[in-house]
Amino acid sequence: MKGWKFKKPNEIVEEDIVSNDSNSQSVKIKITKTLLNLNDFNIFSGQNEVKENTVLGSYGIGIIAEDPSNNLLGLQKGDRVYIESKKPCNDCYNCNTNNKDKCFSPL
């Protein structure tokens, strides 16, 4: 699979990404749209420091590519899904003021 990786401020490169996160609750999704937010822009412009090769794109829209092996959510191959890249920490200021979409926890 391919993804946009941050190299240095104002430089991103499309590269192959190896997925090594496979478990009974994993689902393969073909990403059709990637949504960027202000945090992604700040990473790109150098305002937020992150490690080289960080994959940009905080949210995604896609299609389930394979039938899930452990179908806990009733998903099927071909279903359209929306993906958030992180889980709120439930401990920072934003989480505690009902703004979990602005959580300070690392990506």
Side-chain angles (χ1 to χ4, degrees):
M1 91 180 118
K2 299 226 180 244
W4 291 102
K5 290 185 178 180
F6 171 82
K7 293 299 182 180
K8 61 183 180 182
N10 299 310
E11 183 182 337
I12 56 174
V13 178
E14 185 180 25
E15 292 183 355
D16 287 323
I17 298 173
V18 178
S19 175
N20 57 4
D21 184 30
S22 181
N23 62 50
S24 64
Q25 295 181 353
S26 294
V27 175
K28 288 193 178 184
I29 299 169
K30 178 181 178 184
I31 302 297
T32 56
K33 302 284 182 196
T34 299
L35 309 165
L36 304 176
N37 64 14
L38 183 59
N39 186 52
D40 295 310
F41 176 78
N42 288 340
I43 290 169
F44 174 74
S45 66
Q47 295 177 46
N48 289 2
E49 289 187 30
V50 296
K51 295 179 185 175
E52 183 179 331
N53 292 318
T54 296
V55 177
L56 298 180
S58 297
Y59 308 94
I61 299 170
I63 299 169
I64 296 188
E66 296 177 0
D67 279 321
S69 58
N70 186 357
N71 201 347
L72 299 175
L73 301 174
L75 300 171
Q76 299 177 35
K77 181 177 179 180
D79 286 351
R80 295 195 54 79
V81 292
Y82 170 77
I83 305 117
E84 291 191 51
S85 63
K86 65 180 183 176
K87 187 170 129 180
C89 71
N90 294 317
D91 196 40
C92 69
Y93 172 79
N94 284 326
C95 285
N96 289 324
T97 56
N98 204 25
N99 290 303
K100 293 183 181 196
D101 58 322
K102 297 178 180 87
C103 177
F104 292 139
S105 70
L107 296 174

